[in-house]
């Protein structure tokens, strides 16, 4: 095999990403050197944060270059190996280019065991998604039994896990999501006590007050924007807001004017803290161990929306911004 299908970033998206921002091409495969493996991609994770890397802006991670492959978390099969760490037939996870086949050094690859969990789980509940839910809630949220936890993006990859961890920790858990079907799902499958469909609710401040009669102690924010502004009117004394994501503003071409948070935080002595999951790199093994244990004990369930085919990757990514996923959005190649 000499070349492979590849997906490059063609244009920096303006507003909502379009299929024409991506380019399908073929690239040459280099020779396999000592310490390297030839990989065939099995699952590709598409994530909202990739939108940030498509902009030419300073962030915690470098932007993607134009006319170069996009990179995201993937699971792949080892086809050939010149490394003593891995052999043909092994499966690995790591950050990989959107190429069907690729040659990589093994340093940043982690072997995964398909007997312990389905391969896709290593990109979701046992990967970045699960860890983001776990450390954001437990470390920044400082949850206490009996408190009210409100989660936006509640039916998504991170949100479905956050709600369940909240229930394991004895909290009352309320979720915000974009369809009635998703609200039903989070209540029936993921233990949420209440749900609010933000797309059919005129007054979010009142709806949150009704769903959280004792106020909000911990807010796990996946979406930012107007939804999170409405939450401010409902936070309790000493509340904690975990700023995990702001998908509602990722496609805005100008930062929207927003409510000043300071008066709300001052009068309630509350805190608001952002984080990125790489802040917890040293503690990832601890998080994985806890998540795997809860999974094994049947305390955690997870949902996946899986598109099939390498060519569906850009559309699967775009679909995140239309809420087409329940749980983790993945592409099976
Ligand atoms: N801090 C970190 O290290 C870290 C790590 C991973 C993820 N994140 C962030 O966490 C958030 C969730 O990530 P995820 O991977 O779990 O994605 P996800 O929630 O599985 O997928 C995105 C969801 O966002 C909702 N959404 C889209 N546009 C929206 C809008 N304008 N307003 C409100 N909701 C909107 C959609 O659901 P609805 O149908 O409900 O609208 C969609 O299903 C993202 O903001 C992501 O950037 C942060």
């Amino acid at each position: 095999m000499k070349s492979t299908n590849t997906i490059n970033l063609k244009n920096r998206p303006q507003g909502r990403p379009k299929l024409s921002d991506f380019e399908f091409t073929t690239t040459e495969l280099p020779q396999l050197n000592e310490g390297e493996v030839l990989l065939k991609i099995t699952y590709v994770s598409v994530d909202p944060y990739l939108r940030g890397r498509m902009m030419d802006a300073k962030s915690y991670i470098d932007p993607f270059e134009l006319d170069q492959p996009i990179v995201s978390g993937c699971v792949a099969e080892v086809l050939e190996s010149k490394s003593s760490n891995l052999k043909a037939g092994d499966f690995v996870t790591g950050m990989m280019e959107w190429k069907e086949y690729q040659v990589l050094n093994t340093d940043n690859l982690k072997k995964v065991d398909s007997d312990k969990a389905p391969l896709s789980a290593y990109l979701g509940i046992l990967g970045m998604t699960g860890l983001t839910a776990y450390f954001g809630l437990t470390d920044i949220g400082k949850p206490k039994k009996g408190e009210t936890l409100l989660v936006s993006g509640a039916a998504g990859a991170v949100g479905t896990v956050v709600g369940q961890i909240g229930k394991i920790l004895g909290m009352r858990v309320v979720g915000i999501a974009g369809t009635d079907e998703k609200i039903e799902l989070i209540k029936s499958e993921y233990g949420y006590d209440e749900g609010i469909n933000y797309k059919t609710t005129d007054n979010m401040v009142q709806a949150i007050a009704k769903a959280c009669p004792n106020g909000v102690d911990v807010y796990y924010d996946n979406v930012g924007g107007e939804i999170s502004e409405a939450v401010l009117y409902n936070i309790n004394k000493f509340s904690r807001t975990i700023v995990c994501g702001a998908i509602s503003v990722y496609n805005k071409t100008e930062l929207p004017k927003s409510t000043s948070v300071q008066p709300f935080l001052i009068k309630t002595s509350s805190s608001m803290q952002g984080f990125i999951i790489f802040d917890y790199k040293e503690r990832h093994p601890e998080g994985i161990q806890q998540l795997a244990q809860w999974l094994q004990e049947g305390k955690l369930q997870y949902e996946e929306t899986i598109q099939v085919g390498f060519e569906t990757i850009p559309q699967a990514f775009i679909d995140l911004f239309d809420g087409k996923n329940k749980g983790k959005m993945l592409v099976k190649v």
Side-chain angles (χ1 to χ4, degrees):
M1 186 192 327
K2 290 212 164 76
S3 63
T4 178
N5 288 328
T6 301
I7 304 172
N8 286 346
L9 181 66
K10 184 69 193 153
N11 305 303
R12 301 206 179 278
Q14 297 298 314
R16 189 175 176 281
K18 301 182 289 300
L19 283 178
S20 57
D21 295 327
F22 303 88
E23 182 183 48
F24 286 83
T25 177
T26 51
T27 45
E28 298 295 305
L29 276 171
Q31 280 232 313
L32 201 59
N33 292 321
E34 277 312 308
E36 293 181 337
V37 283
L38 171 66
L39 299 172
K40 181 179 193 306
I41 280 207
T42 314
Y43 285 101
V44 177
S45 173
V46 290
D47 303 274
Y49 82 91
L50 298 173
R51 177 67 182 82
R53 292 197 70 187
M54 291 173 189
M55 296 191 288
D56 190 12
K58 192 167 175 272
S59 186
Y60 59 92
I61 187 163
D62 287 340
F64 293 127
E65 284 179 38
L66 286 178
D67 301 319
Q68 293 296 321
I70 294 173
V71 175
S72 71
C74 294
V75 169
E77 182 182 359
V78 177
L79 296 185
E80 276 180 61
S81 175
K82 283 202 174 175
S83 159
S84 52
N85 302 334
L86 293 167
K87 59 180 190 317
D90 285 344
F91 284 90
V92 290
T93 60
M95 298 303 283
M96 296 176 204
E97 294 181 327
W98 286 3
K99 290 178 173 173
E100 267 188 282
Y101 300 89
Q102 57 203 288
V103 169
L104 280 182
N105 184 293
T106 57
D107 288 351
N108 294 317
L109 298 175
K110 195 170 146 230
K111 190 173 162 182
V112 292
D113 187 346
S114 60
D115 290 335
K116 289 199 174 141
L119 290 171
S120 57
Y122 293 99
L123 295 176
I125 189 100
L126 294 176
M128 185 178 78
T129 296
L131 290 169
T132 302
Y134 175 74
F135 286 114
L137 179 60
T138 59
D139 199 58
I140 300 175
K142 300 190 173 34
K144 295 188 197 73
K145 199 173 173 185
E147 285 188 329
T148 298
L149 165 67
L150 178 63
V151 185
S152 57
V158 173
T160 45
V161 184
V162 172
Q164 294 179 85
I165 298 176
K167 289 313 292 180
I168 292 171
L169 301 177
M171 307 181 85
R172 181 167 191 280
V173 183
V174 177
I176 301 171
T179 65
D180 288 345
E181 193 194 345
K182 288 186 179 185
I183 297 301
E184 187 46 41
L185 177 83
I186 60 172
K187 291 204 282 188
S188 59
E189 298 294 321
Y190 300 107
Y192 275 81
D193 297 290
E194 265 303 336
I196 304 168
N197 177 350
Y198 72 93
K199 288 193 179 154
T200 55
T201 300
D202 292 334
N203 188 327
M204 281 298 287
V205 176
Q206 277 177 17
I208 294 167
K210 189 165 169 231
C212 306
N214 297 325
V216 176
D217 299 297
V218 180
Y219 173 43
Y220 196 107
D221 187 3
N222 282 313
V223 306
E226 289 173 16
I227 292 173
S228 302
E229 285 173 21
V231 177
L232 285 170
Y233 292 85
N234 288 287
I235 55 175
N236 284 339
K237 181 98 179 160
F238 300 123
S239 77
R240 287 83 66 198
T241 289
I242 304 145
V243 186
C244 173
I247 192 166
S248 75
V249 296
Y250 291 170
N251 289 332
K252 301 269 191 225
T253 45
E254 279 177 27
L255 271 184
K257 287 197 169 54
S258 56
T259 305
S260 289
V261 299
Q262 290 84 351
F264 294 93
L265 301 185
I266 293 165
K267 69 184 177 198
T268 58
S269 307
S270 287
S271 68
M272 192 177 252
Q273 186 183 329
F275 78 105
I276 49 169
I277 192 53
F278 306 114
D279 299 341
Y280 291 91
K281 206 166 174 222
E282 307 301 317
R283 291 181 60 194
H284 283 188
E286 166 202 330
I288 295 289
Q289 199 185 356
Q290 178 62 83
L291 291 159
Q293 188 191 323
W294 281 332
L295 255 183
Q296 211 173 18
E297 292 169 355
K299 292 181 178 165
L300 282 183
Q301 315 292 324
Y302 63 96
E303 184 101 11
E304 295 168 332
T305 300
I306 300 184
Q307 312 290 352
V308 180
F310 185 75
E311 66 287 355
T312 66
I313 297 173
Q315 188 61 55
F317 167 69
I318 294 169
D319 284 349
L320 289 169
F321 298 95
D322 294 325
K324 296 223 173 124
N325 60 309
K326 288 182 218 131
K328 180 79 195 98
M329 182 75 111
L330 294 170
V331 174
K332 187 172 197 292
V333 176

